Each structure stands twice: as structure tokens, then as C-alpha cells.
Amino acid sequence: MASTAKHYNAHSAETYEEAYFYEPGAYMHYLVELVTQRMQLDNVNNSGKPRHILDIGGGTGNFASALIHNCPSSNFRVTVVEPFLEESKGADMAKSDRMSFVKAPAEIFLSHSHDNGDWRKQGSHQVLIKETIHHIDEKVRVGVLKGLYDDLKAFPCGNDITIPSILIITRPQVEIDYPLWDEARRVWKESQPSLEQLQQELQLAGFVDIQCTMERYHSQISLQRWQEMIKKRFWSTFANFSDEELEFGCEELARERPPDENGVIHFEDRLLFITGRKVDT
Ligand SMILES: C[S@@+](CC[C@H](N)C(=O)[O-])C[C@H]1O[C@@H](n2cnc3c(N)ncnc32)[C@H](O)[C@@H]1O
């Protein structure tokens, strides 16, 4: 937690959002569409009751904001629960009454205390954990998931429709295709829980109907930009490498994955979408 805190505290909302995966653009648009479908966010319920979604480790809130903008007529609101990064300064975000930002770690769900404020007292209907599950210590992960599970409430959304209670988006532990080098791949594997482990943890926390898909996106980015992102430590994978080690790694990866004639490298982004449901929701 201490080194994760150091890593994210060193990022401003701007430096975080300037990386390929977190900036507005085609990739973000693709993910927003996928999450909208998987969480059934465009399913407008008839009861008029707003759906409350928690985005755990929601970063600067820019992804939650994009989801809201993608579904202008849906009646859901998002509480972004984020311990380190500052809320994005995106002009229209702060004004949105469909989104709020809470500075807290996922570990607050280890406690059943509802003293954390109204957002927690109300309970939630759905939870999104995007690219964050690996930051929650393995020793407490089931406890955090159980705390989230206990706070979940049923959501009336019409005939025969069930919405997933939780969506975890994470990357595979092995068989990734990102241009990296051996030592970075080793660090990656060490900090990334396997799919089997996450499925088991969800089960232990009480979730049922656990399903998973692998979502693949053909990415292309200039080698120069990719190397700059790594040198700026855009993922925590790079947090504990020295500047010299990153310099060496960037040279290694270029040898392993030479760019095309336009200086562009190609790779497949692979994301696991893991869903589960609370028994009576
Ligand atoms: C790769 S970023 C993903 C951010 C956001 N979900 C997105 O997809 O844009 C990982 C996030 O996890 C957050 N994080 C790290 N440790 C955490 C913890 N213990 N509880 C909740 N969030 C945590 C970081 O601050 C960071 O915002």
C-alpha cells in the first residue's frame, strides 16, 4: 500500500490522464461502450429510482464521468471511491449531480461502520472495480469484496432482467501482449492476481453467477510515445524501477518489438471482464 500510495500520489490528474489508456479517445470510447453494455447502464428502469454505482479506485473520476455522458437519459449516479488521485478538473464533471467523489481506500469496506457518510449509508446497486483489484492486498481482498457484497441492494429493473452486481476489469496475469521486457513482465506477474484466484475470492465473498470474458483491442501507438509513458511510470508496474532501468527496458522492448515504417508499434490490449451477482439482486 505504501509504494502504491507513493506511486499514485506522484501523479497529478493531468499526468494520469495523459497516458493512452486513460485519455479521451478511441480506446476510452470502446471501453465506455463495453462497460455500458456489461453493467446494462442504458437499461432505463421504470421505477424512477436512481441506480447507485460505486466506482472503487475510480482514479480521477474521468471514466465514471464518461459513462454518465454516454448514458444521458439513464437514471444512475456514481460515487467514485479513490484514495490517492485528485478529481479530474474536467469542467463539466464537478457540476454533475450524477457523480460524487470520496477520498477513501477500498479497505473501508472491511468495516461495516456506516459512519463514512451518506453515500455508504444508502448502499449501492452495482460496483465497478476497474484496473484496481490488484492494488487491494490479497490478505484482505475477500473481506473487502464481502463488505461491498453486504452493502449491495436489489435494484428493480423490469421483467426478467438481472443486472450484474459487480464488474471487475483487470488484466491477465500471464499471456499479456504489451511491449515490455523480462523484468517488467516478472513484476507484472507478481503483482497481478490470476483469474482463478479472483473468481474464488468473489465466490468466498458470496457472489454467484461468476462469469468472465476476455476483451481484446488492437492498439497502435508510436514507439516514442509508449517509451515516454513508461519513463513517466504510467502504470505502477514501473514504480520501483530506477530511471536507468527504465531507459534500458525501453531499449530492450524496442529490440523485441520493432516499430513499423511509421514508427508505430502494434499490440493487443487484453482485459478480463469478471461479473458476479448478489444472490437476491
Ligand atoms: C490503474 S488506476 C485505475 C483508475 C480508474 N479505475 C481507471 O480505470 O481509470 C488504479 C487506481 O487504483 C487506486 N488504488 C490504489 N490502491 C487502492 C486501494 N487500496 N483502494 C482503492 N483504490 C486504490 C489508485 O489510486 C488508482 O486510481
Side-chain angles (χ1 to χ4, degrees), residues 16 21 25-26 32-33 36 38 53 56 61 71 75 99 133 136 140 143 152 181 198 200 218 222 247 249 253 262 265:
Y16 177 77
F21 299 104
V32 164
E33 277 298 324
T36 299
R38 204 58 58 88
I53 297 170
I56 305 294
C71 302
N75 194 9
M99 193 175 119
I133 196 75
I136 304 171
V140 297
L152 279 164
W181 63 104
L198 292 173
Q200 194 186 24
H218 177 84
S222 81
E247 195 68 49
L253 73 85
N262 299 313
I265 48 174

Side-chain angles (χ1 to χ4, degrees), residues 60-79:
T60 63
N62 65 336
F63 192 78
S65 175
L67 289 175
I68 289 167
H69 286 291
N70 197 41
C71 302
S73 50
S74 294
N75 194 9
F76 69 84
R77 59 194 176 78
V78 184
T79 300

